[in-house]
């Protein structure tokens, strides 16, 4: 957040996103002076994409519904030049990590609150990010070992409750970005198709990404092609992303 524009790090190289750098050697980022001083944060390339798709501006009010530990909240704050307002919420026991990153990185435009994302947030907002809890099959190789159809079904029901609540609180003409770090249809395109089926005023918008991605594949809606799937090979972990406007 406070990094000087000419900050040079000897252990990174450039990526397609100017402010994202790739490690050239394995180091403990969390022990570097740049990290402790709040100049840098560690995040995969894929994880940086949802805030870019949200495209927050300094005058926006953003609701980041499942925000901890705050990788995307702090990136959103940076994109908003630390102006406007972000409501960053999560479960109460997850707020410590969120607070720590927000304070370390010098974020000043964010209100942190414990909130159940399945309930409509009491303040209005014109942009929202729902980086939903998911089966994490795109980021944790051990997640496959504990996977059952029951887990995916339960998660998809939670995700539908959350996307409904977040979409209902969004101002007209506002934008919601939905993302997960998993690969199942039920948690990705399935959640978006459910939203389109239940809310006539939800419209998918095309997404242009700076990294390779595949179009999402649905069962009901041709517009589902506007959703994107990023592979772990291209971006460190697999991600699904959808951009929805409330018309
Ligand atoms: C994928 S992680 C979010 C990562 C975060 N967006 C980031 O970039 O650092 C999903 C989050 O959803 C939160 N979560 C799970 N159930 C929730 C609920 N009912 N209400 C609010 N947050 C919830 C988890 O605690 C977890 O922090």
């Amino acid at each position: 957040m406070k990094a000087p524009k000419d900050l040079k790090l000897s252990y990174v190289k450039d990526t397609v996103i100017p402010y994202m750098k790739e490690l050239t050697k394995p180091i403990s980022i969390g022990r570097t002076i740049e990290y402790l001083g709040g100049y840098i944060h560690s995040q995969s390339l894929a994880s940086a994409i949802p805030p870019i798709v949200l495209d927050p501006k300094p005058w926006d009010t953003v609701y980041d519904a499942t925000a901890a530990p705050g990788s995307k909240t702090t990136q959103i704050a940076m994109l908003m030049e630390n102006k406007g307002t972000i409501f960053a919420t999560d479960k109460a026991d997850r707020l410590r990590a969120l607070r720590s990153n927000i304070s370390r990185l010098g974020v000043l435009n964010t209100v942190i609150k414990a909130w159940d994302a399945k309930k409509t947030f009491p303040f209005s907002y014109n942009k929202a990010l729902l980086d939903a809890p998911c089966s994490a099959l795109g980021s944790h190789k051990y997640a496959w070992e504990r996977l059952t159809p029951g887990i995916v079904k339960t998660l998809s029901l939670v995700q539908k409750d959350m996307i409904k609540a977040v979409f209902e609180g969004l101002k007209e003409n506002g934008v919601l970005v939905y993302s997960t770090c998993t690969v199942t249809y039920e948690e990705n395109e399935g959640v978006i198709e459910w939203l389109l089926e239940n809310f006539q005023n939800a419209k998918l918008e095309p997404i242009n990404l700076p990294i390779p991605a595949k179009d999402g594949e649905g069962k009901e809606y041709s517009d589902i092609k506007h959703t994107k799937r990023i592979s772990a090979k291209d971006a460190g972990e697999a991600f699904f992303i959808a951009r929805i406007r409330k018309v």
Side-chain angles (χ1 to χ4, degrees):
M1 181 64 59
K2 300 167 287 185
K5 287 227 173 332
D6 56 354
L7 178 71
K8 295 266 185 289
L9 303 173
S10 61
Y11 48 84
V12 297
K13 62 179 183 186
D14 289 346
T15 72
V16 288
I17 304 170
Y19 56 84
M20 293 288 290
K21 307 289 172 189
E22 187 181 339
L23 285 178
T24 50
K25 55 184 174 190
I27 62 160
S28 300
I29 286 281
R31 292 198 188 149
T32 63
I33 192 80
E34 296 83 21
Y35 181 93
L36 296 169
Y39 294 149
I40 61 172
H41 184 68
S42 168
Q43 191 180 8
S44 75
L45 198 59
S47 165
I49 297 296
I52 292 172
V53 172
L54 185 65
D55 192 24
K57 303 293 183 199
W59 50 86
D60 282 332
T61 300
V62 177
Y63 173 39
D64 186 358
T66 49
S71 296
K72 298 181 190 67
T73 314
T74 52
Q75 186 189 351
I76 290 169
M78 181 192 74
L79 295 171
M80 293 169 77
E81 300 166 19
N82 228 350
K83 297 178 185 147
T85 306
I86 303 174
F87 295 111
T89 66
D90 207 291
K91 299 191 285 191
D93 62 347
R94 297 275 292 152
L95 296 189
R96 193 171 164 191
L98 177 61
R99 244 185 227 113
S100 155
N101 280 319
I102 285 198
S103 130
R104 180 179 58 82
L105 289 159
V107 172
L108 300 171
N109 66 344
T110 299
V111 179
I112 299 170
K113 187 171 168 52
W115 189 258
D116 181 355
K118 300 193 289 308
K119 298 194 308 190
T120 302
F121 195 61
F123 300 95
S124 64
Y125 43 88
N126 67 313
K127 291 206 174 136
L129 174 64
L130 176 56
D131 186 36
C134 67
S135 54
L137 299 173
S139 50
H140 298 295
K141 62 180 179 194
Y142 300 115
W144 287 95
E145 290 170 14
R146 53 169 198 263
L147 183 71
T148 65
I151 290 177
V152 171
K153 175 79 186 157
T154 305
L155 282 166
S156 77
L157 291 174
V158 169
Q159 290 151 350
K160 286 171 187 166
D161 283 348
M162 287 183 174
I163 203 169
K164 173 179 188 286
V166 175
F167 186 75
E168 281 179 340
L170 186 65
K171 282 187 182 168
E172 203 179 302
N173 206 34
V175 169
L176 159 65
V177 168
Y178 176 82
S179 57
T180 72
C181 60
T182 201
V183 295
T184 66
Y185 165 82
E186 290 81 356
E187 297 175 79
N188 292 330
E189 292 93 340
V191 173
I192 302 303
E193 292 204 308
W194 178 88
L195 183 78
L196 297 178
E197 196 179 318
N198 287 281
F199 292 87
Q200 301 303 310
N201 55 347
K203 296 280 175 250
L204 273 171
E205 293 198 323
I207 298 174
N208 288 317
L209 295 181
I211 56 174
K214 275 175 59 177
D215 292 350
E217 286 181 23
K219 296 184 178 166
E220 303 286 341
Y221 293 89
S222 60
D223 272 3
I224 208 78
K225 63 178 182 291
H226 293 320
T227 67
K228 297 289 169 213
R229 282 177 176 249
I230 298 168
S231 76
K233 178 175 66 65
D234 290 317
E237 58 184 322
F239 251 77
F240 171 84
I241 302 167
R243 180 180 159 103
I244 302 127
R245 190 172 292 273
K246 187 171 190 173
V247 294

